Amino acid sequence: MFVGEIMKNKGAGVIAVAPDQTMVEVLRLFRDNNIGFVVVSRSNSKYLGTLSERDCCNAMAEYGAKAAAMRVADIMNRNVAMCSTQDLLPVAMGIMTQRRTRHVLVTDGGNVVGVVSIGDVVKHRLDEAQRTEQELQDYICGTRYH
């Protein structure tokens, strides 16, 4: 399966924040939207980096309580993991494993079109395993095939 197929199933788009927002503002956004990752951007087409729950935890560990008031630009990840809609899912999984990240930005023609998360990968693999199990069960029972 191509990463683009996952994007079609889950929907494209990203939630973006401005680089001058504070970490605590972004953490509230995470809570309110049940997410753990945002793109940092000055406009919809140009991204500057990303911020994840892990980045926030690392900032708290390094800067203590003052991290909550720090600007996103000061704690964001500028070395962003990326893949293409044309990449196969194992490529995205390899990037996640190699980079030790739970989120990978997805591009199409050089434009960021979405995010694939470890949760998306697990959902796809689980759906795939359940389909295979059903197909094997049908084959064994002699049903649903001609």
Side-chain angles (χ1 to χ4, degrees):
M1 169 175 273
F2 291 98
V3 172
E5 290 299 314
I6 288 180
M7 297 309 303
K8 285 179 189 173
N9 293 334
K10 77 177 269 186
V14 296
I15 294 179
V17 298
D20 59 344
Q21 286 185 258
T22 64
M23 185 179 81
V24 76
E25 290 173 327
V26 175
L27 288 172
R28 288 184 184 121
L29 180 73
F30 286 171
R31 178 199 61 206
D32 295 346
N33 290 280
N34 196 29
I35 59 172
F37 181 86
V38 291
V39 171
V40 181
S41 176
R42 288 196 200 283
S43 68
N44 288 340
S45 61
K46 174 79 170 135
Y47 78 93
L48 304 171
T50 61
L51 189 71
S52 69
E53 291 170 320
R54 180 178 289 173
D55 297 325
C56 294
C57 287
N58 289 339
M60 287 297 294
E62 186 170 341
Y63 302 109
K66 68 180 182 176
M70 290 178 73
R71 293 176 338 116
V72 168
D74 298 326
I75 58 175
M76 71 182 182
N77 177 9
R78 289 175 171 81
N79 186 16
V80 179
M82 300 180 84
C83 69
S84 164
T85 55
Q86 300 303 310
D87 286 331
L88 292 171
L89 188 56
V91 170
M93 293 166 60
I95 292 169
M96 288 178 185
T97 301
Q98 181 182 29
R99 300 280 300 274
R100 298 186 53 80
T101 185
R102 297 180 191 116
H103 303 90
V104 177
L105 285 185
V106 180
T107 62
D108 187 21
N111 297 317
V112 174
V113 296
V115 177
V116 66
S117 71
I118 192 71
D120 299 327
V121 171
V122 169
K123 180 185 181 320
H124 169 72
R125 290 297 197 194
L126 180 59
D127 291 346
E128 186 177 61
Q130 288 173 333
R131 277 191 307 275
T132 300
E133 181 180 344
Q134 184 62 52
E135 289 168 2
L136 289 172
Q137 185 71 27
D138 291 345
Y139 177 75
I140 291 168
C141 294
T143 58
R144 294 192 199 194
Y145 75 97
H146 299 15

